[in-house]
Amino acid sequence: MSTLILDGKKLSQRIKEELKAEVAEMNARGATVGLAVIIVGDDPASRIYVNWKKKDCAEVGIKSTEFALAADTPEEELIRLIERLNNDPSINGILVQLPLPGSINEDRVINAISPEKDVDCFHPFNVGRLMLGDPVFLPCTPGGVMEMLDDAGIDPKGKECVVVGRSNIVGKPQAILLLSRHGTVTVCHSRTRNIEEVCRRADILVVAVGKPEFIRADAVKEGAVVIDVGINRLENGKVVGDVHYESVSAVASAITPVPGGVGPMTRAMLLKNTLTAAKLQYGL
Ligand code: NDP
């Protein structure tokens, strides 16, 4: 049996080409697309992510504006900036790079973003719409996973889907999206008993744990589709996922590589959400 490699890099490139054409069409009608990217402090990983997001925007013609605030910026000042951007018609999406410094209440900041500019889909209003099956935006990582499945013709309908991890950013919304597509969904977490046994039931296994090579071949059913969300940098500098790629790719029917799998799709989905936000705001 040959294993299908789900190439997120290639698919994200195709999506970006489509978005670029749509942005150009909007620009021709006098409508620009703008994303505000807010970064607080100087966390090196956050800086890398923000730079990537700005580069992605430039690639498709979205105008990104960075707001870099010092780590000791008072919460009130950040909230005031968000309120100003909420009212700025040239800004269609607002992204606050997480994590924020410990002195700032993340929930309060997310709540301050206007739901119609919440391109990360973190605001309770958008999370609620997702729960109710009527989302405006899809959260970037789980949304990217669904695009990959669709592109490969893998339909969750009626399938046993196991999601490992229950974070608000990945695991929980992933489970909701698979459920909304009629998967039979089980969610595992740190208190799940016999996790390998549960994972072995999966036709589609999505892993978002944050532990290098946590899932090994003995936890994977022959022929399963395995989506590895994890990004872990080892001491030797190598980046690996939450799935032991070498052994699991020998039993899976399809698998995402790390890097080059879910990561690029997450980035593409942010652009897609920004365009969606702009279209809604322009009434298009
Ligand atoms: P979190 O740390 O927020 O959540 C991890 C989840 O894994 C928790 O629900 C936790 O359970 C569960 N978990 C931890 N240990 C175990 C265990 N031993 N057995 C079973 N479950 C366990 O991480 P995120 O969801 O934010 O991210 C997960 C991974 O995905 C990370 O590697 C991150 O870097 C990566 N990531 C990748 C993205 C991409 O674009 N590819 C985007 C976002 C994240 P509990 O709730 O019980 O504590």
Side-chain angles (χ1 to χ4, degrees), residues 13-182:
Q13 208 52 50
R14 211 165 74 215
I15 292 171
K16 282 194 281 187
E17 290 303 326
E18 288 164 15
L19 295 175
K20 188 176 175 178
E22 279 195 71
V23 172
E25 212 173 286
M26 285 182 70
N27 287 347
R29 295 160 74 172
T32 56
V33 183
L35 175 70
V37 183
I38 304 175
I39 177 168
V40 186
D42 42 22
D43 176 60
S46 291
R47 171 43 64 196
I48 291 173
Y49 292 138
V50 162
N51 288 349
W52 281 352
K53 287 168 188 175
K54 283 163 50 186
K55 183 174 153 279
D56 292 339
C57 282
E59 234 179 280
V60 301
I62 293 175
K63 184 175 180 298
S64 70
T65 310
E66 180 183 312
F67 297 85
L69 307 182
D72 61 356
T73 300
E75 188 175 305
E76 288 311 320
E77 196 179 317
L78 175 56
I79 301 275
R80 273 199 302 276
L81 169 63
I82 291 172
E83 283 167 352
R84 180 161 72 74
L85 297 170
N86 282 342
N87 294 315
D88 181 343
S90 72
I91 297 293
N92 307 109
I94 301 172
L95 177 142
V96 179
Q97 184 63 46
L98 300 181
L100 290 168
S103 57
I104 296 179
N105 180 337
E106 260 177 30
D107 288 343
R108 191 167 166 240
V109 170
I110 289 168
N111 275 291
I113 299 172
S114 165
E116 59 175 21
K117 296 190 178 185
D118 169 41
V119 286
D120 261 333
C121 194
F122 290 165
H123 191 287
F125 176 85
N126 286 319
V127 176
R129 296 222 24 181
L130 180 69
M131 276 295 293
L132 295 171
D134 184 26
V136 181
F137 306 112
L138 294 187
C140 297
T141 301
V145 169
M146 299 312 286
E147 293 258 356
M148 289 181 103
L149 294 176
D150 284 340
D151 183 66
I154 299 162
D155 186 355
K157 187 173 167 181
K159 300 221 169 72
E160 289 283 343
C161 303
V162 175
V163 178
V164 191
R166 57 172 166 180
S167 70
N168 288 334
I169 294 173
V170 188
K172 266 189 232 171
Q174 187 69 72
I176 295 298
L177 286 176
L178 289 164
L179 184 61
S180 73
R181 295 285 301 277
H182 313 296

Side-chain angles (χ1 to χ4, degrees), residues 141 166-167 189-191 195 208-211 214 229-231 263 266:
T141 301
R166 57 172 166 180
S167 70
H189 46 79
S190 64
R191 267 76 142 198
I195 196 161
V209 175
K211 291 198 157 57
F214 178 75
V229 178
I231 301 174
T266 298

